[in-house]
Amino acid sequence: MSGFGGLPQAELSEGLKQLKSEHPPLLEQLEGLYGLTEKIDQEMDVEINFNELILKVKEFKKALDPHSEREEGVLFPMMGAYIGTTSGPIAVMEYEHDQAKSNIGAFLAKVEGSQASTDEKKKFAELIKNAYLILTEHFSKEENVLFPMAERMLTDEEKAELHRKIQEIK
């Protein structure tokens, strides 16, 4: 037991290890997005930084979507069989996924073909800042709570199935 009264961090199985390993590159992209939103907020080269933000958000979404699908389509249902999906950790995780995707989707919808003013661009960039805040906290919860919980909860067969199924999602 750790000194904080929690459970010791378990060594993660292959599938959970893969999901966790997908977080650092996504976080790196998020940090870049956040940096651009800050520049836009401070009205630094708004046009250039806003166009860069649009590009980087599209790249980020392309990387985030398969990761989310691996969790929503495979891990969450497997854990949900034990702890349910309508309330509790899985419901919270799915809600956070939905919130982040909603912010990103709204941003992309608003900027498509838009001739926005600087103030509007700041407002649109705020959606990405919201996604950043949601996802950075979300990844931390997964790594510190959800993945260790899954490691303890799932059988060896289920862990092997998780690993196999997430490999199929490209």
Side-chain angles (χ1 to χ4, degrees):
M1 290 295 216
S2 78
F4 296 102
L7 292 162
Q9 284 289 32
E11 175 69 26
L12 296 178
S13 56
E14 287 306 308
L16 293 167
K17 208 180 289 182
Q18 177 185 330
L19 291 173
K20 184 177 178 178
S21 76
E22 293 172 2
H23 286 171
L26 290 169
L27 282 168
E28 196 174 306
Q29 285 182 288
L30 276 169
E31 291 298 334
L33 296 177
Y34 187 81
L36 289 168
T37 66
E38 288 290 280
K39 288 177 182 175
I40 293 163
D41 204 40
Q42 295 160 14
E43 298 189 17
M44 296 167 56
D45 298 321
V46 174
E47 197 61 38
I48 292 166
N49 285 313
F50 192 74
N51 288 332
E52 176 81 359
L53 182 63
I54 295 169
L55 258 162
K56 296 290 185 191
V57 167
K58 288 177 180 177
E59 285 174 20
F60 176 71
K61 186 178 181 314
K62 218 176 270 181
L64 181 66
D65 286 349
H67 173 75
S68 296
E69 179 54 34
R70 289 180 194 106
E71 291 178 347
E72 293 169 14
V74 185
L75 177 62
F76 294 174
M78 289 178 101
M79 291 183 73
Y82 291 95
I83 59 174
T85 57
T86 55
S87 65
I90 302 302
V92 170
M93 295 290 120
E94 288 185 329
Y95 175 75
E96 290 173 355
H97 277 202
D98 291 347
Q99 290 299 106
K101 286 182 193 172
S102 172
N103 277 280
I104 292 166
F107 171 82
L108 291 172
K110 288 178 187 303
V111 301
E112 198 59 46
S114 162
Q115 294 301 316
S117 68
T118 295
D119 282 347
E120 288 172 317
K121 288 176 180 169
K122 285 180 174 183
K123 215 175 281 177
F124 298 163
E126 195 68 32
L127 292 164
I128 298 307
K129 208 176 271 193
N130 291 342
Y132 166 87
L133 295 169
I134 292 164
L135 289 171
T136 51
E137 190 178 304
H138 175 81
F139 290 164
S140 177
K141 284 186 212 170
E142 286 182 338
E143 291 175 18
N144 295 303
V145 179
L146 195 74
F147 296 164
M149 180 190 283
E151 187 60 42
R152 292 187 302 274
M153 182 184 294
L154 301 176
T155 65
D156 289 344
E157 292 77 20
E158 288 169 325
K159 290 174 192 172
E161 180 185 353
L162 171 72
H163 186 241
R164 184 179 50 74
K165 283 184 172 177
I166 65 173
Q167 298 307 305
E168 296 168 3
I169 300 170
K170 299 289 178 223

